[in-house]
Structures are given as C-alpha cells and as structure tokens.
Amino acid sequence: DDYENCLNVNGHGVIPVAVLGSEILDVSLIDQEALSFGGLDVRVRGNRGPLCSLEDANSDGIYDLVCNFEDNPDYWEPGEDVATLTGRLFDGTRIEGSDTICIVP
C-alpha cells in the first residue's frame, strides 16, 4: 500500500475506510451493517442505513466499498500501527482485513 493511513481521532467525526473490490471480492455482497473497524460501528443515516457507498476508490476499474465509521478516541492509542476491519457477506461468509495506520492525537 502506497498510502499512509493516518487517523485524527478527536471524537468529532468519522473515519472513512475502503474495502477494495477485486475479481475475487464483489464488495456489493458485503453486509454493511455487520462491519466493524477496530471496534467502531458504521455511521448510520437515520432510516437510510449505513453511511457507505460503492465507488472506485483506487482507480482500478472495480467498485470498492467506502464506509464511514463513528470516530471514538477511546478506541485508539498513540503508537497503534494496525487496524482491522471485520464483517461478513450476506451469505454469512466472514471477512477480515488489516492495514497499517498512524494515530494523530
């Protein structure tokens, strides 16, 4: 990954997280309500559901799933260097992915 994933965890917003789609993973099959990022829940827009969108985040021609997670500074510690996203597909298959992060106080 060529991008530095720094999180400004001040409790005043959201943390966007992209699940990169591929020929193996169709991100439209992900149950957005079952996602957790480091223990954080996906932000929900009233009765419209999770604040997620399908977009080509990495410009490879394949849709990616970008979700915004509720920011909570109690979940992060300075010096943490890996964050994990967990969830499942609509068929029940569990998914998990991790990436490097840096915490900005």
Side-chain angles (χ1 to χ4, degrees):
D1 190 307
D2 294 335
Y3 300 100
E4 190 168 348
N5 303 304
C6 290
L7 309 177
N8 182 351
V9 291
N10 58 14
H12 298 297
V14 296
I15 300 171
V17 175
V19 178
L20 303 180
S22 68
E23 292 180 10
I24 297 170
L25 177 62
D26 178 351
V27 296
S28 69
L29 301 177
I30 295 174
D31 182 351
Q32 298 170 7
E33 294 180 7
L35 291 173
S36 175
F37 178 65
L40 302 174
D41 293 327
V42 175
R43 178 173 266 184
V44 176
R45 294 177 286 200
N47 61 358
R48 294 189 311 177
L51 186 56
C52 296
S53 62
L54 292 175
E55 56 189 79
D56 188 2
N58 61 349
S59 303
D60 66 355
I62 299 173
Y63 276 119
D64 307 304
L65 179 66
V66 178
C67 293
N68 290 289
F69 289 80
E70 294 284 347
D71 180 12
N72 183 335
D74 295 334
Y75 281 78
W76 308 103
E77 295 292 330
E80 282 191 73
D81 60 357
V82 175
T84 300
L85 176 89
T86 59
R88 68 175 177 267
L89 304 180
F90 289 115
D91 71 3
T93 302
R94 301 207 47 81
I95 59 171
E96 181 176 307
S98 297
D99 203 352
T100 57
I101 60 168
C102 67
I103 303 298
V104 179

